[in-house]
Amino acid sequence: MSPDSAQQSNTPKIEPEEILEGILDWVEAESPTTDKDAVNKVADKVQGLYDGLGLAIERTPGRDGFGDIIRARTENASGEKGILVLCHIDTVHPIGVKDGALKIRREGDEVYGPGIYDMKAGAYLPYYAYRHLQRLGRKTSLPVTFLYVSEEEVGSPMSQEFIEEEARKAKYVLVTEPARDGGKVVVARKGVGRFTMTITGRPAHAGARYEDGRSAISELANQIKAIDALVDLERGVTTNVGIISGGTAVNVVARDVVAEIDLRVLTKADGEEMTAKILGLKAQNPDVTVEVTGGMNRPPMEATDASMKLFEHAKACAAEAGFELEATETTGGGSDGNFTAALGVPTLDGLGADGEGAHTLEEKIYFSSLEPRAKMWVRLLETLE
């Protein structure tokens, strides 16, 4: 064996089975957003792994019933603007689903498990890539901060301030949400608005004194029609009454009803316009009151020249890794990347594993996507400057 061949054989290689083993260790630790202790078990794993790489760890205790936030910084992560790698460790699946309706299993190229696609596989990849750089004896050109939040699935109400704090220090933001539509990354996302409508009518016996009642549920039917009328698919505007609750009994004219409303928009201007319209909804029955509260939960993530330049860089890194990287035009789901993009920081999203079935009982990743994605991550961390 020649000296060059010997050196080549001793060079650390990216091992997809090793990547999968690490991902499954995180998936086994189920972590629904609302279970603080469960989420913190994953936070413990994250902290331990990055601590093992010698990074400076900052762990912020959760509040309001949410888990902790982990920040891991490279030794040069002070002063100069660098890379923010943005991840979340919470999932939508309840404890126990891994032993029931969504068993952790591998079937050919498909690997199933709760939260494996959204987004534990993606959250693990940058750790593995940075560790691989260390094994090769190489460093990143820019300082890197790896941020793992605990309640993205409910809108990041606690961690938004930390995300924005770190984004202001960053030159680039890389978000490890899952890839879309056959491995595409995300350069634009719709903004998300959330509203609560409370309707108060007048109760009455539905048989004996029907005429005295003023039904909150009947008024809600009117309001749903008004909300549905705001949908404009050509503009990318959607509204949806997703949850309703109310009434007392089947033989009582309903006094109270509450509806929760979802809004999605492509632009900030559309968000402002639709928010004003939803908050301005009035009762059609003068004897009934309608109150609407809420607003934009996440601003739109709009593609910019700077973010598209970042995409082109990632595309070149992917080409080095042996695959062609494409971008979606937009996606309707929000992420923490919405917050960073709104601050004007070039943001690239959907850099996690390829797969499908997010939030379903068929959630899975494609094993074949792990090695090329890890190689892309290595080159991204090493070459961004």
Side-chain angles (χ1 to χ4, degrees):
M1 181 182 292
S2 69
D4 285 346
S5 298
Q7 183 179 5
Q8 210 169 33
S9 65
N10 290 326
T11 301
K13 291 182 171 55
I14 288 175
E15 300 288 352
E17 294 288 351
E18 186 181 31
I19 299 172
L20 181 60
E21 182 181 352
I23 292 168
L24 291 180
D25 181 56
W26 289 13
V27 176
E28 286 280 357
E30 294 174 291
S31 53
T33 310
T34 54
D35 190 328
K36 178 178 180 178
D37 292 339
V39 173
N40 279 345
K41 287 178 182 177
V42 183
D44 292 342
K45 293 177 181 291
V46 173
Q47 181 174 350
L49 289 177
Y50 280 101
D51 188 54
L53 299 181
L55 273 67
I57 307 295
E58 182 178 350
R59 183 161 179 162
T60 304
R63 61 174 189 268
D64 303 325
F66 297 120
D68 298 350
I69 294 171
I70 303 291
R71 284 178 273 192
R73 305 182 195 277
T74 59
E75 60 185 8
N76 55 350
S78 61
E80 180 187 8
K81 286 196 170 186
I83 302 167
L84 173 61
V85 177
L86 185 50
C87 317
H88 71 82
I89 53 176
D90 61 313
T91 77
V92 301
H93 299 284
I95 295 289
V97 73
K98 71 174 184 179
D99 300 314
L102 183 48
K103 285 184 169 63
I104 298 173
R105 64 196 189 277
R106 182 172 175 179
E107 298 176 358
D109 192 40
E110 299 173 343
V111 187
Y112 293 81
I116 193 169
Y117 177 54
D118 185 12
M119 59 181 278
K120 286 181 175 175
Y124 188 84
L125 281 171
Y127 157 76
Y128 185 91
Y130 187 78
R131 188 185 72 170
H132 188 69
L133 277 175
Q134 281 197 348
R135 286 174 167 178
L136 294 172
R138 305 205 298 254
K139 294 185 177 181
T140 61
S141 297
L142 292 174
V144 184
T145 295
F146 301 88
L147 175 61
Y148 288 78
V149 305
S150 60
E151 26 58 280
E152 189 274 344
E153 294 293 2
V154 295
S156 304
M158 174 190 70
S159 59
Q160 179 180 351
E161 63 180 287
F162 299 98
I163 294 165
E164 292 175 345
E165 173 190 343
E166 295 301 333
R168 291 187 181 96
K169 304 174 189 174
K171 189 173 182 179
Y172 308 104
V173 177
L174 306 177
V175 187
T176 65
E177 289 284 350
R180 298 291 196 279
D181 306 326
K184 296 179 182 178
V185 294
V186 177
V187 295
R189 287 183 180 272
K190 288 187 177 183
V192 182
R194 292 288 164 79
F195 304 85
T196 300
M197 174 178 282
T198 303
I199 302 176
T200 306
R202 183 190 303 161
H205 192 290
R209 302 296 299 180
Y210 177 85
E211 64 277 11
D212 294 341
R214 300 293 183 269
S215 173
I217 291 176
S218 293
E219 179 61 34
L220 176 61
N222 296 331
Q223 296 297 323
I224 290 173
K225 290 180 181 178
I227 293 164
D228 286 349
L230 298 175
V231 173
D232 188 334
L233 295 179
E234 290 188 3
R235 288 171 62 187
V237 174
T238 59
T239 53
N240 182 62
V241 179
I243 301 176
I244 58 174
S245 59
T248 305
V250 69
N251 62 344
V252 178
V253 175
R255 179 185 185 274
D256 302 296
V257 68
V258 176
E260 295 183 38
I261 305 160
D262 179 273
L263 167 68
R264 307 283 165 140
V265 294
L266 285 172
T267 67
K268 180 180 178 182
D270 284 347
E272 292 171 349
E273 177 188 341
M274 293 300 147
T275 293
K277 287 182 176 180
I278 293 172
L279 292 176
L281 289 167
K282 304 296 182 184
Q284 297 183 30
N285 185 326
D287 296 330
V288 174
T289 62
V290 171
E291 179 185 8
V292 186
T293 58
M296 292 300 296
N297 169 265
R298 284 192 173 100
M301 174 183 168
E302 300 182 51
T304 65
D305 290 343
S307 65
M308 293 308 295
K309 185 177 179 181
L310 177 57
F311 163 68
E312 290 299 329
H313 186 92
K315 187 174 182 178
C317 292
E320 290 183 43
F323 72 102
E324 182 179 358
L325 189 66
E326 299 179 23
T328 61
E329 290 186 9
T330 189
T331 183
S335 89
D336 287 335
N338 291 60
F339 297 133
T340 63
L343 294 175
V345 185
T347 299
L348 189 58
D349 204 338
L351 288 163
D354 190 15
E356 59 183 318
H359 297 195
T360 75
L361 296 177
E362 295 296 320
E363 184 168 349
K364 62 188 176 185
I365 60 168
Y366 301 129
F367 176 76
S368 56
S369 74
L370 297 180
E371 182 176 355
R373 289 267 159 169
K375 289 179 176 178
M376 177 185 68
W377 267 103
V378 169
R379 295 301 291 154
L380 271 172
L381 293 175
E382 188 174 27
T383 61
L384 280 173
E385 56 186 27

